[in-house]
Amino acid sequence: MTITDLLAAGKSDAPAILAPGRDPLTYGELRTVIGRIAGQLDALGLTPHDRVAIVLPNGPDMAAAFLAVASCAAAAPLNPKYRRDEFRLYFEDLKPKALITCEGDAEEAHAASPDGTHHVCLNGSGADLAIREDNAAPTPVEPEFAGADDYALLLHTSGTTAHPKVVPLTQRNLAVSAANVSLSLALTAADRCLNVMPLFHIHGLVAGLLAPLSAGGAVACTPGFDAFKFYEWMNELRPTWYTAVPTMHHMILSRAKRQGDVIRHAPLRFLRSSSASLPPTVMEGLEGVFGVPVIEAYGMTEASHQMASNPLPPSARKPGSVGKGVNVDIAIMDAEGHMLPGGERGEVVIKGANVTAGYENNPEANLKAFTDGWFRTGDEGYLDEDGYLFLTGRLKEIINRGGEKISPREVDEVLLQHPAITEAVAFAIPHSKLGEEVAAAVVLATGASLTDRDVREYAADRLADYKVPRKIVMVDKIPKGPTGKVQRVSLAQQLGLAG
């Protein structure tokens, strides 16, 4: 199954993509746009085996462009807020043959792109969406659409190394995962998702975009999350559900008191939460205000997003659980690779048609990540007697800032480039709304003088905003364990920042 197969579910005259203040794009128009852009990319010499970087703002045109690219090549959507060095790092891995941006936009991406890259601008909007290069629109040819085993999406995922790993996902991976999400939520053509998630993350792409389209339903694409406009969008776009990360849910709930009329008239039938654990108080508050169930799910990039999900009523939703596997096998494994019985804690491992076959050009990471065909998630948890998964912690050092996964070693390396810094270790500290925030312990060179603000400004010039440490601790030396290694996961406690 491919992305073009997935889109066949929608009726030609039914709305597929909506946006605030714009006319809906129907399935018939969307299929035409996909064929046009795919044909133009083919005319530029691109094949299903080539990579296309996409640096576009969130919204309906980004959604349509992604679908078009992913149907005929390997799409690599990137955060438009990245700095030049970050783009350069990702482009070195991806080796894109083309870069799609808006005209006059994404200067940092253009400056970082490799020689020989096609610099393509998105032109028009809605049903007229097309691409052009050097002020000329390539004449579309009959497009060569990708097969089920061709790559459709390439994303970087943070790891315990400074250099993020490349996760290649096939057409089949994405189509299966979208179908799994649709099945777990019982989506139909009558459903409409309000997608406030970024379209350069697996959550927004699969749960927020592909899943509703796979059921023939509609997607309302926003410019990104905005707590002040959320209820305005809900009133205008009339969604039956939305999916978000816990920090977004928290902000939505905090503004609900003045939105009683909008909430009463909203056709919602459930809310969905994923990417990080949803605090029980937030779940209870949402269900009390909106009067519909909150469905908590568990996902990651390597699984093309969803691995487990709580079911809709009348089936049981267990407090504290992320639910059961939906067409995904889930088990618990010890460090030696032995399966553990129900109730025992260990590493969560998964297997399924949605799971990547392995990281690209990284045999060492693949050797660690796979055991007997099972993918090791790095998360700790247990399965109860009914097969519900409960997560109890993370084995990784990743910082989970409101669903944004940050490699602490990537932050380390940036800080260590400063001539006045001799040691730097980034780590997680608790945050009441985001769950975790980025902090860093810094040792200055002898005689050097830097303020907290100096360090943050240096980092902000080289890292995306969400990766910049909000707390800087100047120390004489970094606390280390008995073997001389930095114990990153306990630094917050050692430095008095754990509570």
Side-chain angles (χ1 to χ4, degrees):
M1 189 174 184
T2 66
I3 287 176
T4 51
D5 295 330
L6 179 148
L7 294 171
K11 294 182 178 180
S12 292
D13 60 349
I17 297 178
L18 306 94
R22 289 179 55 164
D23 292 332
L25 186 70
T26 67
Y27 273 91
E29 292 169 333
L30 176 59
R31 287 191 276 260
T32 298
V33 167
I34 290 172
R36 180 189 302 133
I37 293 178
Q40 289 181 303
L41 291 172
D42 216 344
L44 293 176
L46 275 73
T47 73
H49 304 292
D50 290 318
R51 285 94 186 277
V52 179
I54 306 173
V55 182
L56 295 169
N58 239 43
D61 294 336
M62 165 60 191
F66 165 74
L67 293 168
V69 172
S71 70
C72 66
L78 295 167
N79 187 343
K81 295 181 181 179
Y82 282 148
R83 307 295 191 255
R84 186 174 307 184
D85 287 347
E86 291 172 300
F87 279 121
R88 187 174 290 115
L89 172 73
Y90 298 138
F91 288 158
E92 286 175 359
D93 286 335
L94 297 169
K95 297 176 175 57
K97 192 167 182 179
L99 167 64
I100 298 181
T101 66
C102 290
E103 186 173 8
D105 200 6
E107 292 182 6
E108 296 281 275
H110 284 291
S113 64
D115 292 339
T117 304
H118 289 280
H119 288 240
V120 176
C121 289
L122 203 62
N123 190 34
S125 64
D128 297 322
L129 204 63
I131 60 172
R132 57 190 175 91
E133 183 181 35
D134 297 328
N135 298 317
T139 301
V141 299
E142 187 65 29
E144 179 185 0
F145 290 112
D149 295 320
D150 290 324
Y151 290 159
L153 177 63
L154 294 161
L155 291 174
H156 282 80
T157 184
S158 297
T160 53
T161 58
H163 194 95
K165 301 186 286 290
V166 179
V167 182
L169 298 169
T170 65
Q171 298 273 334
R172 180 180 284 108
N173 290 152
L174 294 185
V176 166
S177 188
N180 290 347
V181 174
S182 179
L183 176 65
S184 63
L185 301 175
L187 298 181
T188 71
D191 281 307
R192 179 176 294 183
C193 174
L194 180 60
N195 189 0
V196 295
M197 295 299 300
L199 292 176
F200 50 82
H201 275 191
I202 196 69
H203 184 163
L205 290 170
V206 173
L209 180 65
L210 294 179
L213 295 179
S214 73
V219 181
C221 293
T222 69
F225 180 69
D226 187 332
F228 295 100
K229 293 184 178 179
F230 178 84
Y231 289 99
E232 178 184 324
W233 292 336
M234 182 177 287
N235 190 50
E236 177 186 353
L237 299 169
R238 312 293 293 163
T240 61
W241 65 289
Y242 75 85
T243 185
V245 299
T247 184
M248 295 177 181
H249 286 299
H250 188 279
M251 296 174 72
I252 290 166
L253 181 60
S254 69
R255 288 165 172 77
K257 289 183 179 179
R258 300 180 181 178
Q259 303 295 332
D261 192 57
V262 173
I263 293 171
R264 278 191 297 273
H265 292 91
L268 292 171
R269 66 181 185 90
F270 64 87
L271 315 180
R272 183 179 184 272
S273 184
S274 188
S275 299
S277 179
L278 184 66
T281 55
V282 176
M283 178 180 285
E284 292 170 7
L286 289 169
E287 293 191 341
V289 167
F290 288 97
V292 296
V294 176
I295 305 301
E296 190 165 10
Y298 171 46
M300 65 189 307
T301 303
E302 291 90 337
S304 306
H305 185 49
Q306 185 171 286
M307 295 177 278
S309 177
N310 274 283
L312 289 164
S315 298
R317 287 176 296 129
K318 296 194 177 186
S321 171
V322 292
K324 304 170 74 171
V326 181
N327 289 330
V328 179
D329 293 328
I330 298 178
I332 306 297
M333 185 180 284
D334 68 13
E336 287 72 41
H338 303 125
M339 292 301 184
L340 298 175
E344 287 199 25
R345 291 188 182 188
E347 185 170 8
V348 179
V349 295
I350 59 170
K351 186 187 292 185
N354 58 313
V355 181
T356 182
Y359 300 110
E360 186 169 67
N361 299 324
N362 202 331
E364 181 181 352
N366 288 329
L367 189 62
K368 295 178 181 177
F370 290 90
T371 299
D372 297 330
W374 292 88
F375 177 77
R376 307 185 75 122
T377 66
D379 291 320
E380 183 190 65
Y382 66 91
L383 293 167
D384 73 2
E385 65 278 6
D386 299 318
Y388 282 71
L389 176 64
F390 290 78
L391 299 177
T392 54
R394 288 199 316 284
L395 304 176
K396 301 176 181 178
E397 299 173 338
I398 297 305
I399 301 167
N400 191 341
R401 184 182 185 273
E404 294 277 8
K405 308 295 177 64
I406 302 159
S407 165
R409 293 192 184 182
E410 184 182 3
V411 180
D412 294 357
E413 289 198 352
V414 167
L415 296 180
L416 288 170
Q417 292 171 20
H418 195 294
I421 295 175
T422 57
E423 289 186 79
V425 178
F427 57 98
I429 57 175
H431 190 281
S432 60
K433 293 182 179 179
L434 298 171
E436 290 180 344
E437 182 56 275
V438 186
V442 171
V443 178
L444 300 182
T446 303
S449 178
L450 284 179
T451 66
D452 295 3
R453 182 175 179 178
D454 293 334
V455 176
R456 284 194 295 271
E457 288 179 351
Y458 181 82
D461 287 337
R462 292 159 178 80
L463 292 168
D465 291 342
Y466 68 87
K467 299 179 185 177
V468 176
R470 296 312 194 266
K471 178 70 175 179
I472 304 292
V473 184
M474 303 292 187
V475 295
D476 293 329
K477 63 178 181 179
I478 304 291
K480 296 181 174 66
T483 62
K485 292 184 179 180
V486 175
Q487 297 177 315
R488 195 186 299 267
V489 294
S490 62
L491 271 183
Q493 184 174 3
Q494 294 182 65
L495 296 174
L497 301 174

